[in-house]
C-alpha cells in the first residue's frame, strides 16, 4: 500500500493509519525502515470500547515491535491520532455491509452496478440524516 501511495502521490507518506489487518512484524519493520510515522492497530477492538490506558514506565527489554506499537496507540497522543480513522470513508463500507446487510450486487454490468451502488449510498445517507434529525 505504501508503494501504491508513493506511486500515485509522487512521494512517500509521512504518517499512516491502518487497521489490525496490516499489523505484522514485517509491516511494522518496513514502515520503521521507511521512516513513516505509523499508527497501526495491533488487535481488533469492540465497537464503543475505550482502549486500555498506557502503563507507566519503560517497555520490557524483550518488547517486540508490535508491543511498541501497542504502547504507542495507548498514549493520549497516539489514541487521538488513531481516532481520526473514525472520520474517514472506510467505516461507511462496514456500516453498509453490516447494518444494511449489503453483501453483493444483484445487478450485472458496470452501468447497472453503478446505479445500484448509487441507490445504496443514497439510502444510507438519507438514513444518516434522518437519525441525526430525529434521534
Amino acid at each position: 500500500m505504501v508503494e501504491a501511495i508513493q506511486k500515485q502521490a509522487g512521494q512517500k507518506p509521512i504518517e499512516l493509519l491502518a487497521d489490525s489487518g496490516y499489523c505484522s512484524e514485517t509491516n511494522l519493520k518496513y514502515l520503521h525502515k521507511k521512516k513513516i510515522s505509523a499508527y497501526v492497530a495491533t488487535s481488533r477492538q469492540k465497537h464503543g470500547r475505550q482502549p486500555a490506558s498506557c502503563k507507566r514506565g519503560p517497555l520490557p527489554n524483550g518488547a517486540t515491535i508490535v508491543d511498541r506499537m501497542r504502547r504507542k496507540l495507548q498514549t493520549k497522543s497516539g489514541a487521538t491520532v488513531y481516532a481520526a480513522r473514525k472520520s474517514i470513508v472506510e467505516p461507511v463500507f462496514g456500516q453498509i455491509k453490516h447494518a444494511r446487510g449489503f453483501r453483493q450486487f444483484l445487478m450485472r454490468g458496470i452501468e447497472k452496478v453503478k446505479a445500484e451502488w448509487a441507490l445504496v449510498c443514497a439510502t444510507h445517507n438519507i438514513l444518516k440524516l434522518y437519525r441525526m434529525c430525529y434521534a
Side-chain angles (χ1 to χ4, degrees), residues 93 96 101-121:
F93 294 116
I96 288 173
F102 187 81
R103 297 289 180 177
Q104 65 185 26
F105 291 98
L106 299 175
M107 309 297 278
R108 297 294 173 248
I110 193 74
E111 292 304 317
K112 291 178 184 175
V113 167
K114 282 182 181 179
E116 188 176 356
W117 183 245
L119 183 62
V120 167
C121 291

Side-chain angles (χ1 to χ4, degrees), residues 31-94:
L31 294 169
H32 181 73
K33 180 179 154 191
K34 292 284 187 177
K35 294 182 175 45
I36 297 171
S37 178
Y39 296 85
V40 182
T42 56
S43 62
R44 293 191 66 166
Q45 181 180 331
K46 291 204 177 209
H47 182 69
R49 279 232 168 127
Q50 295 294 333
S53 59
C54 185
K55 294 178 182 173
R56 293 188 174 266
L59 280 166
N61 288 338
T64 66
I65 196 162
V66 174
D67 294 332
R68 293 179 187 284
M69 181 58 65
R70 186 176 298 112
R71 175 68 72 92
K72 182 178 180 178
L73 292 173
Q74 289 175 341
T75 64
K76 284 184 181 181
S77 61
T80 301
V81 170
Y82 192 77
R85 286 195 76 241
K86 294 177 184 174
S87 64
I88 60 175
V89 72
E90 187 178 324
V92 173
F93 294 116

